[in-house]
Amino acid sequence: MSIKFSLLDCTLRDGAYINGSIFGDSVISGLIEKIQNSGIEYVECGWLKDNLRKPGSTYFMVPRDAKEFLKHKRIGTTYVAMIDYNRYETDKLEKNDGHSFDAVRVVFPRGKVKEGISKAQEIREKGYRVFIQAANTLGYSDDELEELISAANRFKPEALSIVDTFGAMYSEDLLHIVKKLDNGLDPEIKLGFHSHNNQQLSFALSICFIKSLINSNRKEVIIDSSLGGMGRGAGNTTTELITSYFDRKNLGNYDLNCIMDALDMYIDPLKKKFEWGYSTSFFIAGLYQCHVNNIAYLREQHRTTAHDMRSIISSLNSEERRHYDYDLLEKRYFENQSREFDDSDNLAKLNNQIKEKNILILAPGTSIQKFSGKILNFIKSFNPVVIGVNAISNLYKYDYLFFSNKNRYDYALNYNSSIFNSSSRLVLSNMKELAGPKDLVFNYNNVVKRGWVHFDNAVLLLLRLLSKLEVSRIFIAGFDGFTGNLANDYLDRKLPPVLGVKSYSDLNSEILDMFRDFRKSVYPRVRIEFLTNSYFDEKKDEN
């Protein structure tokens, strides 16, 4: 076989999206050593950026910043850095002295081929080998692919890579692009593939790419991979899988022990601190060819469910999806969540049913089981209106069930359909499409108060709803606080947990702050008392 198949490990570059580039100098040195000693042909050491390098970072301002990591370069290995075509000024780029990077990869988006190659020419003039990366190659029309081919043939980069930026490709998409490029590109130009694993297809597509070029007259083919798949969003083809495949198919000869050592020593500890890889959220990014920053914003700022995330992303046009505009996302989020609803009739109806009565809120904490005797005696003595929040316990008879999101509504229906169906239900307008004839729907916007990350805590939403009625005394049980252990936090450990929680201590503090804010806003008109122990009970209410 005349064609050479090679690998490029991009852990230190693409992985920088996960940890903000701060691997630590010892880890950078260790990874480079293990990757080069494994026999992988190309090692991507990081990014070239305009800012001064921070200790431990793989963002380098100039190549000499990386010299300390490349003192023992392996013969036959190429050491690479990447730049965004419009985010690095080449005036500061030193001439290649052979002691740092051998090559620079220039990435540019669709529509910026001319500008990307112009930047690549500036880098070549400094003595570096140059690779070009056509970001979101799937977005190129056939005419645009022909323009890319013509520009590349004139410039003759060492390599041109297909980039599945949004992890949206299927095999037929890749094969179409490969056929165009392989037929049109000068065979001396190496052809590469950089994938993202949004649809769990990264490894399979890499194999597809290899097989499609087995009989090519091209000089060399390069597959990008990263250890453990570490990389932006859903990550990349994993180095350990692709090296094993190469070895089994006699396409290469790599030392898998070096790869395994790198995983054990450097990647597994990172996995304990950071999250990457396939998820439902990143599947949605791939499904709609959407920039992962849109997904991250909706997940981190609003803990958006997959159902709602899909609705929001699908409401964007194709151009909006490929970029990220947080103001636009915020607008679409509230359009999706709010669904303005005139709830005046339902407020009046609920008010007539519960006004001037004691209210007992049963949240889903384990204390409603532990102190069931006390709670049942209270119900027998005071005959309160009992409202369950986002969950059901067989120990109690509910007058109403309150739900603030679809996941909890579906859970309660499946958990105990008899109690669910025999109770009146209070739901918010962000899920009004689920409402049945026994459900009273209330405007989401009227009970939410922004200013906190977890602003949509269900107990606080219900309290704000009740504050709009002629209610003066509220008792709470099961509003325990969070430990992060589902068995301790929820009466039923199958109850879907709070999304997007990084610190349960911070979550408790935030809910306490919201509770204080609410209590202050309604005191003394509404008095609140806890029947069970709660992190949020500061015993400041007068009873």
Side-chain angles (χ1 to χ4, degrees), residues 167-290:
M169 285 185 183
Y170 289 103
S171 58
E172 58 267 29
D173 301 315
L174 178 60
L175 291 173
H176 176 78
I177 294 169
V178 169
K179 184 177 180 180
K180 283 279 186 184
L181 295 182
D182 191 39
N183 287 340
L185 275 180
D186 184 321
E188 292 297 308
I189 299 174
K190 301 167 186 177
L191 189 58
F193 179 52
H194 181 90
S195 62
H196 286 119
N197 201 33
N198 297 54
Q199 300 187 92
Q200 293 275 51
L201 291 174
S202 194
F203 181 45
L205 288 173
S206 294
I207 293 173
C208 175
F209 180 72
I210 292 164
K211 288 183 174 180
S212 71
L213 291 164
I214 288 289
N215 297 315
S216 172
N217 65 348
R218 192 150 304 283
K219 177 181 178 181
E220 186 175 347
V221 167
I222 304 171
I223 302 289
D224 284 14
S225 66
S226 60
L227 292 161
M230 186 179 186
R232 189 175 200 171
N236 313 106
T237 294
T238 61
T239 295
E240 56 272 25
L241 287 178
I242 199 67
T243 49
S244 176
Y245 177 82
F246 269 50
D247 284 351
R248 292 180 67 180
K249 299 299 180 181
N250 297 314
L251 299 174
N253 183 23
Y254 302 103
D255 187 340
L256 286 179
N257 286 331
C258 286
I259 300 297
M260 296 299 112
D261 287 345
L263 291 165
D264 288 338
M265 296 169 65
Y266 304 116
I267 302 303
D268 287 348
L270 286 169
K271 281 186 174 180
K272 294 177 181 178
K273 297 180 180 179
F274 304 100
E275 178 184 354
W276 69 84
Y278 172 80
S279 70
T280 306
S281 299
F282 292 125
F283 157 64
I284 294 170
L287 182 66
Y288 290 103
Q289 298 184 46
C290 172

Side-chain angles (χ1 to χ4, degrees), residues 8-22:
L8 183 151
D9 186 281
C10 59
T11 306
L12 290 166
R13 197 274 307 167
D14 212 337
Y17 285 113
I18 302 301
N19 61 2
S21 84
I22 306 299

Side-chain angles (χ1 to χ4, degrees), residues 326-482:
Y326 296 144
D327 289 337
L328 176 62
L329 277 179
E330 194 73 5
K331 177 183 177 183
R332 294 298 173 84
Y333 173 82
F334 275 104
E335 285 175 356
N336 182 75
Q337 291 293 305
S338 300
R339 298 186 179 96
E340 286 296 334
F341 181 80
D342 182 0
D343 60 4
S344 54
D345 288 345
N346 286 342
L347 283 170
K349 183 176 181 179
L350 181 60
N351 189 59
N352 287 334
Q353 294 170 356
I354 70 173
K355 66 179 180 179
E356 299 178 358
K357 294 182 179 180
N358 291 319
I359 307 296
L360 173 59
I361 294 174
L362 293 179
T366 55
S367 64
I368 66 171
Q369 177 171 298
K370 184 177 181 181
F371 297 100
S372 60
K374 177 182 179 180
I375 297 169
L376 289 169
N377 284 335
F378 174 84
I379 292 172
K380 183 177 180 180
S381 300
F382 291 90
N383 191 31
V385 174
V386 179
I387 305 177
V389 178
N390 273 349
I392 295 172
S393 168
N394 290 319
L395 296 170
Y396 304 101
K397 180 180 179 181
Y398 298 89
D399 297 295
Y400 299 94
L401 297 173
F402 174 81
F403 298 100
S404 60
N405 68 62
K406 179 180 182 297
N407 286 342
R408 301 296 172 88
Y409 187 96
D410 289 343
Y411 158 81
L413 172 60
N414 294 326
Y415 176 79
N416 194 318
S417 58
S418 61
I419 293 180
F420 181 90
N421 290 322
S422 64
S423 305
S424 296
R425 295 179 293 271
L426 314 175
V427 301
L428 300 181
S429 59
N430 60 316
M431 46 184 289
K432 67 179 182 181
E433 69 277 3
L434 297 176
K438 296 189 70 172
D439 295 353
L440 295 178
V441 181
F442 300 93
N443 197 319
Y444 177 90
N445 267 354
N446 288 344
V447 297
V448 72
K449 183 173 181 179
R450 298 299 300 271
W452 297 274
V453 174
H454 297 87
F455 64 89
D456 55 354
N457 175 268
V459 172
L460 269 298
L461 294 177
L462 175 57
L463 286 171
R464 294 193 190 104
L465 173 61
L466 293 173
S467 72
K468 299 179 183 301
L469 309 175
E470 296 176 64
V471 169
S472 60
R473 198 158 184 100
I474 299 173
F475 297 84
I476 303 177
F479 192 32
D480 302 344
F482 294 93

Side-chain angles (χ1 to χ4, degrees), residues 143-177:
D143 287 343
E144 288 170 326
L145 286 174
E146 293 294 343
E147 292 172 7
L148 174 65
I149 291 167
S150 295
N153 284 340
R154 289 192 298 271
F155 176 67
K156 288 186 170 46
E158 180 160 329
L160 184 157
S161 284
I162 297 165
V163 182
D164 187 12
T165 300
F166 304 115
M169 285 185 183
Y170 289 103
S171 58
E172 58 267 29
D173 301 315
L174 178 60
L175 291 173
H176 176 78
I177 294 169

Side-chain angles (χ1 to χ4, degrees), residues 13 46-51 58-66 81-84 87-90 92-93 100-101 103-105 123 128:
R13 197 274 307 167
W47 289 90
L48 283 170
K49 298 280 189 179
D50 278 334
N51 299 324
T58 54
Y59 291 164
F60 305 103
M61 188 172 78
V62 288
R64 66 173 175 271
D65 289 341
M82 180 178 279
I83 69 162
D84 277 318
R87 295 180 181 174
Y88 185 73
E89 295 300 326
T90 53
K92 65 172 70 69
L93 185 64
S100 185
F101 306 125
V104 177
R105 299 213 288 178
I123 294 168
Y128 297 90

